[in-house]
Amino acid sequence: HVKKFVEKWLGGGRVVDVRGAPLTVMPRVVLHDGEGFRIGEAAGLVYPLTGEGIRPGVLSAIALAEALSTKKPLEEYRRRVAPIVKQVEFQKKLLSLAVRMSERGGALLELADDGVLRDYIEENLSARTLLALLAKKPAAAARLIAALLR
Ligand SMILES: Cc1cc2nc3c(=O)[nH]c(=O)nc-3n(C[C@H](O)[C@H](O)[C@H](O)COP(=O)(O)OP(=O)(O)OC[C@H]3O[C@@H](n4cnc5c(N)ncnc54)[C@H](O)[C@@H]3O)c2cc1C
């Protein structure tokens, strides 16, 4: 991937060293695997559009700690992390959509206002608002997708 990137975007070159750590991009959310509870990265609680996993990790740890003292810990844990799970699943859909559109080679490169996307990533915007925008304003939607790909 690094070689392809260098070729495409920098016009070629020589890669002398490659180091990295895998980023979770399309996590599968598993809160309990049949044997034990999972939190953070192990539970798949990483936001696909940003790779943010520290905050969801801490929040899920707190949620589980609190849920463990209730009568139905798994149900309570699910309820407490539901907003994070919802965000993860919706971001996965957006990312898949962005990839599909990119593969079709549409006019996705122009980006005007990416404030909407930033708000979304910061969780100030609901998924419903974002979907309404996508449905009513195709041009804005295209720009949004372009923003997703940056
Ligand atoms: C390159 C990179 C950049 C990132 N940048 C950001 C960022 O800017 N902001 C952000 O929010 N997130 C970022 N993330 C994601 C974030 O680092 C992770 O989502 C987050 O650290 C997950 O926390 P965690 O506690 O769930 O898991 P981890 O941090 O992976 O902790 C799990 C720990 O368990 C240990 N462990 C594993 N197996 C065992 C075992 N059998 N016995 C004992 N110990 C074990 C591991 O060694 C590890 O220390 C980044 C990730 C990467 C790879």
Side-chain angles (χ1 to χ4, degrees):
H1 286 303
V2 170
K3 281 178 183 163
K4 271 193 214 163
F5 178 88
V6 168
E7 196 65 45
K8 182 170 179 184
W9 297 100
L10 305 176
R14 191 167 59 93
V15 179
V16 293
D17 190 13
V18 178
R19 296 179 194 196
L23 269 176
T24 301
V25 179
M26 284 288 183
R28 193 166 72 89
V29 176
V30 180
L31 300 178
H32 192 287
D33 59 16
E35 290 184 28
F37 291 95
R38 295 192 188 188
I39 56 166
E41 184 100 28
L45 302 177
V46 181
Y47 292 142
L49 294 181
T50 58
E52 181 185 4
I54 295 170
R55 191 167 49 114
V58 171
L59 290 175
S60 61
I62 294 170
L64 179 59
E66 289 170 352
L68 286 176
S69 62
T70 66
K71 284 185 183 162
K72 296 184 175 174
L74 183 54
E75 275 178 33
E76 186 59 24
Y77 179 41
R78 276 191 210 288
R79 194 183 66 75
R80 287 175 187 249
V81 295
I84 300 174
V85 174
K86 214 168 147 190
Q87 181 79 197
V88 169
E89 294 301 342
F90 190 68
Q91 287 198 14
K92 274 164 68 176
K93 286 186 184 139
L94 279 180
L95 194 56
S96 300
L97 174 67
V99 170
R100 282 200 304 279
M101 290 189 74
S102 164
E103 284 169 352
R104 275 189 239 138
L108 301 175
L109 296 175
E110 278 185 32
L111 176 67
D113 176 17
D114 63 353
V116 171
L117 179 65
R118 289 186 196 285
D119 270 359
Y120 184 75
I121 288 173
E122 295 300 324
E123 296 173 51
N124 295 323
L125 189 69
S126 73
R128 180 176 293 202
T129 314
L130 191 64
L131 282 174
L133 176 84
L134 284 167
K136 287 180 188 166
K137 298 182 180 176
R143 288 196 296 274
L144 187 63
I145 302 301
L148 293 176
L149 294 172
R150 285 205 314 195

